[in-house]
Amino acid sequence: MSELYIAIDHFDHQIDCFCPDADHVNIINIQKGDLIEVTPERKYTMLGWYALVVVNGQRAFYMAIEDIERYFINECISSQLDIDLKINYLQYKIDQDLEAGDRDSFADNSRKLSETCRLKEELEYYMAKAI
């Protein structure tokens, strides 16, 4: 079963070349809101383990498992569960801001909540389309 992530931030990923005689430099630009599907298809090379990744249902390539983990840890990509947890946390922070009367923090957390809810809607829309 595929794992689905959504890009939280813009980042560039250099696609590793498996050619025996030459290095090719292919860089893919991942934009905020792009959907990244990590398929169960795996491949082992001298460079390590790779998973077949499909971006926005269109562009497929192999990405190192280490890179996927790094993007996840650095919060460049997020799963649906993590987005739900972030929404819950932001709602809690907004409640605290209201109680404390902190307008600046309230505005900042409200903006973050709005962005996160939009990303969740995009992810849910993509998942509903895939079914």
Side-chain angles (χ1 to χ4, degrees), residues 79-91:
S79 67
Q80 182 177 9
L81 176 63
D82 291 313
I83 287 176
D84 288 338
L85 290 172
K86 187 172 184 177
I87 288 171
N88 189 29
Y89 174 74
L90 288 170
Q91 288 171 338

Side-chain angles (χ1 to χ4, degrees), residues 24-73:
H24 298 102
V25 178
N26 289 329
I27 295 178
I28 183 168
N29 298 320
I30 307 290
Q31 302 294 323
K32 183 176 186 174
D34 282 352
L35 297 159
I36 302 161
E37 180 181 357
V38 180
T39 68
E41 185 174 332
R42 302 290 191 256
K43 179 181 203 176
Y44 183 79
T45 69
M46 296 293 244
L47 301 173
W49 281 100
Y50 285 77
L52 182 64
V53 171
V54 182
V55 177
N56 294 329
Q58 298 172 352
R59 180 134 190 216
F61 57 92
Y62 282 94
M63 183 184 286
I65 303 273
E66 290 175 354
D67 290 340
I68 297 168
E69 291 171 349
R70 181 170 36 91
Y71 294 140
F72 185 76
I73 289 169

Side-chain angles (χ1 to χ4, degrees), residues 88-101 106:
N88 189 29
Y89 174 74
L90 288 170
Q91 288 171 338
Y92 169 74
K93 292 301 286 180
I94 288 171
D95 289 343
Q96 280 187 330
D97 296 337
L98 285 172
E99 286 179 17
F106 175 80

Side-chain angles (χ1 to χ4, degrees), residues 106-123:
F106 175 80
D108 186 48
N109 286 324
S110 295
R111 179 189 54 77
K112 289 177 184 176
L113 178 62
S114 178
E115 285 180 16
T116 306
C117 287
R118 185 184 55 78
L119 290 173
K120 180 181 177 179
E121 288 175 6
E122 288 181 35
L123 188 58

